[in-house]
Amino acid sequence: MFEFPENDNEWKEVRIVGVTETSKGWIIETHDGYSFHVPSDSPVVPTERVIARFYGKGIGSLVRGLFINGQKVFYLTPEEYKIYFEKGMYGETAQEWLKRWDSGQSVWSIEMGGFGPGYEQAIQITTAELIRIILDAGYDYKKWANPDDPTDWNRDREKIRDAAFENEIIKPLGLSGAQYGAALFLAAKLCIRGPVEVLTNPKMKNRRIQVSKNFP
């Protein structure tokens, strides 16, 4: 007999009253009038008249766990779900952040300028291009986080600056030294720490913004 997760009381049980198969799985309808998509890789095939248990905070919140007829379809603890949610929102790595930027999606970032949207956009564009330079060159950027030995950072940032001056996207922006410095700081942090750690830092809460290469 399957045992449900212990010490997790954020759940609700409902009866399945309808099942519609689709190319991507099944749409189940519950007796309380809601519907939910069950993915095709579910180890459980949903059927009518059985009980579905949903884990989460309820109406308006995303479902972090589903059991059908006592069998697990998927499940995340609240702590695991928080990590999953933050990675999905901010991007797990600088590579993922840059991929979203390149595709034209809105990405979360940190306001670095404070002098208007055009000034800020130049910083964000430069941040994306500096991340590209860093990743393409294969810098061992984890070493930059060592406050006791800035040798690697001092050497590499000079090379990055030289590459930035030749970058066909950065050159037309006419950056000030302050703008370039802000962009380099943010790009390095996103590479070293990752978007989740940078963007969930409580000190950055009031500076989080959404930006896109498709401005405005």
Side-chain angles (χ1 to χ4, degrees), residues 46-96:
T47 58
E48 295 182 9
R49 297 187 295 277
V50 300
I51 298 298
R53 175 182 285 205
F54 291 90
Y55 282 83
K57 292 185 177 297
I59 298 174
S61 299
L62 296 178
V63 175
R64 59 178 176 80
L66 172 63
F67 292 75
I68 295 177
N69 201 26
Q71 300 179 68
K72 182 174 73 171
V73 176
F74 62 88
Y75 175 77
L76 294 174
T77 66
E79 295 76 19
E80 291 170 337
Y81 178 74
K82 181 176 182 294
I83 295 172
Y84 170 81
F85 177 81
E86 289 175 345
K87 288 180 178 179
M89 175 171 285
Y90 303 120
E92 185 173 1
T93 62
Q95 290 91 332
E96 174 63 24

Side-chain angles (χ1 to χ4, degrees), residues 47-197:
T47 58
E48 295 182 9
R49 297 187 295 277
V50 300
I51 298 298
R53 175 182 285 205
F54 291 90
Y55 282 83
K57 292 185 177 297
I59 298 174
S61 299
L62 296 178
V63 175
R64 59 178 176 80
L66 172 63
F67 292 75
I68 295 177
N69 201 26
Q71 300 179 68
K72 182 174 73 171
V73 176
F74 62 88
Y75 175 77
L76 294 174
T77 66
E79 295 76 19
E80 291 170 337
Y81 178 74
K82 181 176 182 294
I83 295 172
Y84 170 81
F85 177 81
E86 289 175 345
K87 288 180 178 179
M89 175 171 285
Y90 303 120
E92 185 173 1
T93 62
Q95 290 91 332
E96 174 63 24
W97 189 95
L98 183 61
K99 181 179 178 181
R100 296 182 185 187
W101 171 274
D102 286 342
S103 71
Q105 297 182 53
S106 291
V107 297
W108 285 95
S109 189
I110 301 297
E111 183 181 17
M112 301 298 291
F115 294 105
Y119 186 95
E120 184 64 41
Q121 182 69 2
I123 293 175
Q124 299 300 328
I125 292 172
T126 304
T127 295
E129 291 308 308
L130 290 175
I131 290 175
R132 194 187 317 281
I133 290 169
I134 291 167
L135 296 178
D136 287 350
Y139 289 110
D140 187 3
Y141 47 78
K142 294 297 183 182
K143 291 184 177 180
W144 299 344
N146 183 1
D148 298 323
D149 185 4
T151 303
D152 291 296
W153 169 242
N154 290 335
R155 180 193 64 235
D156 292 343
R157 71 176 178 178
E158 296 300 318
K159 296 179 181 178
I160 294 168
R161 183 192 63 186
D162 292 342
F165 286 162
E166 298 302 319
N167 184 279
E168 295 300 325
I169 295 178
I170 294 176
K171 282 196 297 184
L173 296 176
L175 298 175
S176 68
Q179 283 175 298
Y180 177 79
L184 180 60
F185 176 84
L186 180 56
K189 287 295 184 182
L190 289 170
C191 288
I192 297 168
R193 303 296 182 189
V196 172
E197 183 175 338

